[in-house]
Amino acid sequence: MQEQLTLWLLSLPDSELALDTQAIGAFWQRLPYWAFAWAGGRALAQWIVANPQAVAGKKVLDFGCGSGLVGIAAAKAGAAEVWVADLDANALQAAAENAALNGVEVLPVKGEWPQVDLLLASDVLYDISSSADLKQLMLSIPDWILAESRFVAPDFVALDCLHSMVSSTLPAIGDFDEAVEVEIYCRAGQSRLT
């Protein structure tokens, strides 16, 4: 049976779904990232549901949580504790609301990074503003799982690909994220997660 998650996301009228390429670019610039379930996050959430042993009983950090989709999937799969972190305070609120919709709890990071066993991150490598924090976390947290649809390899750690799948961003607005290849990675030699 497929696990279903409920999310509070952006609702778009049909009239806004037929945008040309230039209009789509302007449209994206006005929207909060947390209002979408991004392709990488959807793929990682699906992977967690299929591989609950990777998160079960662990303290987990969902870095760049956005809507909270990945952290919620980890909580539902049996993570002992789920922390969420995002640059946008509204994303932390959205993640908490979405967690409540799914009958689980996520804890917002406010200040120091919590001590966790597993780092989860999806579609974050494209944003250079988060790279210093991500590097620090990836080097200090024993295990991590990273899902990327627009992959830019970090230069500070070797990777193994755990899985690859096609996913899409919701809501769909007819752009580049309708059907993208998402790869799910772990630190090289860490494939014991599966």
Side-chain angles (χ1 to χ4, degrees):
M1 185 168 112
Q2 183 72 17
E3 180 74 26
Q4 296 292 317
L5 298 179
T6 302
L7 294 177
W8 175 56
L9 299 173
L10 182 71
S11 177
L12 295 173
D14 288 343
S15 63
E16 295 202 30
L17 296 177
L19 302 172
D20 64 29
T21 304
Q22 187 175 13
I24 287 173
F27 184 76
W28 278 120
Q29 298 305 312
R30 298 188 320 265
L31 297 174
Y33 290 137
W34 55 262
F36 292 84
W38 294 94
R42 290 186 67 213
L44 185 51
Q46 289 174 336
W47 186 87
I48 289 168
V49 168
N51 297 277
Q53 70 282 0
V55 299
K58 296 183 180 178
K59 293 181 180 179
V60 174
L61 170 62
D62 180 2
F63 179 82
C65 68
S67 66
L69 173 62
V70 172
I72 292 165
K76 290 182 77 75
E81 189 174 87
V82 176
W83 291 85
V84 291
D86 201 287
L87 293 173
D88 185 343
N90 291 324
L92 298 177
Q93 183 176 350
E97 293 289 335
N98 285 331
L101 284 172
N102 288 279
V104 296
E105 180 183 25
V106 295
L107 307 165
V109 173
K110 295 180 181 175
E112 296 294 315
W113 293 110
Q115 293 294 317
V116 298
D117 308 306
L118 178 64
L119 171 70
L120 302 172
S122 57
D123 285 334
V124 295
L125 289 177
Y126 73 94
D127 184 0
I128 196 163
S129 68
S130 63
S131 62
D133 284 335
L134 184 61
K135 179 179 180 179
Q136 173 196 350
L137 291 168
M138 288 174 83
L139 294 175
S140 66
I141 296 173
D143 292 330
W144 47 264
I145 305 170
L146 174 70
E148 285 294 326
S149 59
R150 291 175 288 280
F151 185 66
V152 178
D155 60 1
F156 52 86
V157 66
L159 304 171
D160 283 342
C161 185
L162 294 172
H163 189 68
S164 184
M165 70 176 70
V166 173
S167 187
S168 60
T169 296
L170 293 177
I173 61 169
D175 72 338
F176 61 90
D177 263 358
E178 276 199 8
V180 294
E181 188 75 22
V182 177
E183 293 181 326
I184 299 172
Y185 296 94
C186 66
R187 185 187 320 261
Q190 181 191 332
S191 57
R192 61 185 159 66
L193 287 170
T194 57

